[in-house]
Amino acid sequence: MDMDSQPNSPRQVSDLWLEDGSLVIKAGHLLLKIHRSTLVAQPPVFADMLSFPPSQDQEFLYGCPFVELPDDPESVEVFLRAITLLDFFLPPPAAADYHVVAGVLRMAHKYDCSILRSRALRHLSTRFTTTLVDFTHRNYISKPLFRGYEGLQDKAYTLDCVSLFYEVDALWCLPVLYHTLTSWIPGFMTYIINGIEFKSQHYGMTPDQQITLLAGREYRRQDIVASMSAYSSVHQNVREMAVKSLAESFLQHLSSSLLIKRRTLG
């Protein structure tokens, strides 16, 4: 089947539309034309998909074999950029926007591209620390969670992280993420329960994720009340030690809750 003459063709991505490309990929409203060998050399899933010889039923578009992916178009675009453009998605300390990291991570996890998955997780590790030393030296309340994003956009992407971390099994990022979510003032409960609408897309949490978050928040509230009573009249440096202890306690409570949930879910 030749689709070259079909009307209302999706938009071609200019720098991912190679004149000498040998494979056309469609994802939603996007069309990309790349070298088949580039994709075959990457995730084994793609290699298996493209290993079969062309058949009479093979669809062609612009004179090339045609593959349609069911994934989010923006995720497909950044993933293929990361594969084909060497300087597009460099490892840390190079900076990377959240939508790029999230898109690459989702696709790399789904299609078993271990190198790009590892690189995306390294980018997340620079923001979602797993050590108390790093945690106590960062301000997770007053600063946007992601570089270049402010206000509602930052909050929408922060909520998106919850589903992302569960989707790609990066649960070690959740304690700091949940701490960030419980530090939103004002509007914490509204955002957690109702989610956020941003650019015609809904960002939110599942009921199980909400329960885990609110349980950790309650543990933290109880610890703060107890700490204020115990340390209200002590020296400043002792109070600072108490704050560090609270932070560590909060991370431990959330980590324990997540571990129990994982064991329960099997």
Side-chain angles (χ1 to χ4, degrees):
M1 175 181 177
D2 195 322
M3 300 175 61
D4 291 357
S5 60
Q6 287 193 357
N8 302 321
S9 298
R11 176 176 66 85
Q12 296 176 6
V13 181
S14 58
D15 58 341
L16 288 176
W17 187 263
L18 308 180
E19 290 301 324
D20 59 346
S22 56
L23 178 69
V24 173
I25 295 176
K26 180 177 183 293
H29 61 286
L30 299 181
L31 277 178
L32 311 98
K33 185 181 181 184
I34 64 173
H35 296 293
R36 181 179 179 276
S37 58
T38 301
L39 202 57
V40 170
Q42 293 296 326
V45 174
F46 286 123
D48 293 341
M49 181 190 307
L50 300 173
S51 63
F52 299 101
S55 65
Q56 292 183 346
D57 296 329
Q58 172 73 60
E59 292 185 325
F60 283 79
L61 187 60
Y62 295 95
C64 296
F66 164 70
V67 174
E68 183 168 8
L69 297 179
D71 308 284
D72 170 67
E74 283 70 28
S75 295
V76 172
E77 180 179 355
V78 296
F79 179 68
L80 291 180
R81 286 183 190 277
I83 289 177
T84 59
L85 307 177
L86 296 180
D87 60 348
F88 175 72
F89 188 56
L90 299 174
D97 290 336
Y98 172 71
H99 78 279
V100 173
V101 176
V104 170
L105 181 55
R106 283 189 164 102
M107 292 290 293
H109 179 79
K110 176 179 179 179
Y111 291 105
D112 194 24
C113 184
S114 59
I115 294 177
L116 288 179
R117 184 181 188 277
S118 175
R119 184 174 300 177
L121 290 174
R122 286 175 59 194
H123 276 286
L124 291 174
S125 296
T126 65
R127 193 61 186 86
F128 297 97
T129 179
T130 57
T131 67
L132 183 60
V133 172
D134 288 340
F135 178 83
T136 54
H137 281 80
R138 297 183 183 182
N139 187 337
Y140 286 91
I141 299 176
S142 63
K143 297 179 182 178
L145 189 58
F146 300 107
R147 180 181 65 88
Y149 301 123
E150 302 285 346
L152 191 63
Q153 186 175 20
D154 181 67
K155 289 180 169 58
Y157 286 157
T158 303
L159 281 175
D160 185 57
C161 278
V162 179
S163 60
L164 173 65
F165 294 161
Y166 276 98
E167 181 181 337
V168 303
D169 197 29
L171 301 185
W172 44 268
C173 291
L174 283 171
V176 166
L177 173 60
Y178 280 174
H179 176 270
T180 303
L181 290 171
T182 58
S183 300
W184 283 354
I185 301 172
F188 163 75
M189 288 301 297
T190 300
Y191 293 134
I192 297 305
I193 301 302
N194 298 327
I196 292 175
E197 297 294 329
F198 181 74
K199 291 186 176 180
S200 303
Q201 186 171 347
H202 179 77
Y203 298 87
M205 302 172 63
T206 67
D208 283 347
Q209 293 164 358
Q210 293 169 350
I211 290 171
T212 301
L213 171 62
L214 295 175
R217 179 175 181 260
E218 179 60 20
Y219 277 125
R220 186 179 68 164
R221 187 193 67 80
Q222 293 173 3
D223 283 345
I224 289 175
V225 171
S227 177
M228 290 303 179
S229 300
Y231 294 103
S232 59
S233 60
V234 298
H235 194 268
Q236 177 66 24
N237 64 342
V238 178
R239 285 203 296 272
E240 290 176 354
M241 292 174 59
V243 171
K244 291 182 179 180
S245 177
L246 288 178
E248 184 175 28
S249 175
F250 179 67
L251 293 176
Q252 289 175 345
H253 281 310
L254 281 179
S255 298
S256 297
S257 299
L258 292 169
L259 181 60
I260 292 172
K261 182 178 291 295
R262 291 191 70 185
R263 289 174 175 171
T264 302
L265 294 177

